[in-house]
Amino acid sequence: MANIVQFENVGLRYGTGQETLSDVSFALASGAFYFLTGSSGAGKTSLLKLLYLAQRPTRGLIRLFGEDAVTLPRKRLPGFRRRIGVVFQDFRLVPHLSAYDNIALPLRVSGVPESDIAAPVREMLEWVGLSERAHAKPPTLSGGEQQRVAIARAVIGRPEILVADEPTGNVDPDMAERLLHLFDSLNRLGTTVVVATHDFHLLGRIAGAHMMRLDNGRLLDPTGSLRFPPVQTD
């Protein structure tokens, strides 16, 4: 498989302090599933910000979709970002908009005609099991429901890459399994998925997944297939 992302000797420093990421090098294959692990403060969120173009590196090379993302002109950033779906740890839903309108937001921002929005939004609501909550606003939704709305919003544009920052950190184990199943389903449709997590119980749940491990801003393990015993089911 061709590489959709490539980092070469990437470093990131905020202000004049110590580097948050140092000499990070890896490649992500198109259509693969990756877990990004590491303790709190290891640099996972910073690496994800580089992936979805919210931050530029201090040094090093980043290639996305075959192009140099570091020197990408600012006017081209919106087009690149539309190819990347992001699930934030704190959801970032618009509180005064319904679940339906939150999910529809990326399509509206992209200029999709209103007549072409209803069908895909309803499909996403059904996909995440929230058809009956379409008109509910975020403050009335549970944490798990808000997370599912955030996931639907992230994938409605059929992104080539999905980046999720600790997506199971605020839900119970059963919901965590359900969310992971949603990511796996999307991956099977061809999207490259990167999930940052500290929950090692989830790592063996995706067959053929790969793992990257950060420690104090350095990538310790090369990307490779995870080796876990088979999951036992009743």
Side-chain angles (χ1 to χ4, degrees):
M1 289 186 288
N3 292 330
I4 197 168
V5 175
Q6 186 174 355
F7 278 46
E8 292 183 9
N9 300 315
V10 169
L12 177 64
R13 186 192 310 274
Y14 296 106
T16 59
Q18 182 178 337
E19 278 195 329
T20 301
L21 297 172
S22 299
D23 300 314
V24 174
S25 297
F26 63 87
L28 303 183
S30 179
F33 195 115
Y34 297 87
F35 287 108
L36 175 64
T37 70
S39 60
S40 178
K44 299 190 298 297
T45 296
S46 291
L47 193 152
L48 294 185
K49 285 181 178 179
L50 294 176
L51 268 177
Y52 61 78
L53 302 175
Q55 187 77 41
R56 299 214 187 204
T58 308
R59 60 184 176 87
L61 171 69
I62 298 176
R63 294 186 67 81
L64 289 175
F65 312 116
E67 295 193 52
D68 185 347
V70 178
T71 60
L72 194 70
R74 205 170 277 275
K75 65 181 180 181
R76 295 191 60 200
L77 283 175
F80 261 60
R81 286 173 176 153
R82 281 194 289 271
R83 301 168 73 179
I84 305 168
V86 185
V87 181
F88 298 100
Q89 188 173 0
D90 56 356
F91 312 145
R92 300 193 190 181
L93 301 177
V94 182
H96 65 275
L97 295 181
S98 66
Y100 179 102
D101 288 326
N102 266 282
I103 295 169
L105 191 59
L107 300 183
R108 288 173 173 152
V109 170
S110 298
V112 176
E114 199 65 29
S115 59
D116 295 333
I117 287 177
V121 172
R122 291 195 188 104
E123 180 185 354
M124 284 292 103
L125 282 163
E126 183 177 358
W127 186 62
V128 297
L130 291 173
S131 294
E132 296 183 358
R133 302 288 277 156
H135 301 296
K137 294 182 179 179
T140 70
L141 298 172
S142 69
E145 288 172 334
Q146 290 184 52
Q147 187 65 289
R148 282 182 277 163
V149 172
I151 291 171
R153 181 184 61 184
V155 306
I156 193 168
R158 305 297 186 193
E160 295 171 58
I161 301 173
L162 176 68
V163 176
D165 190 3
E166 299 284 2
T168 62
N170 298 304
V171 298
D172 61 46
D174 289 342
M175 181 55 64
E177 291 276 0
R178 182 170 182 174
L179 294 180
L180 198 63
H181 176 71
L182 295 178
F183 293 137
D184 187 35
S185 298
L186 184 66
N187 177 244
R188 292 175 186 274
L189 295 175
T191 296
T192 302
V193 176
V194 182
V195 176
T197 183
H198 62 272
D199 188 350
F200 284 91
H201 293 95
L202 297 177
L203 302 185
R205 298 298 197 263
I206 304 296
H210 302 274
M211 183 171 69
M212 299 184 294
R213 185 159 61 97
L214 277 172
D215 183 58
N216 290 323
R218 293 183 179 273
L219 197 62
L220 297 185
D221 298 332
T223 301
S225 294
L226 295 173
R227 302 299 180 189
F228 287 85
V231 176
Q232 299 296 321
T233 57
D234 296 330

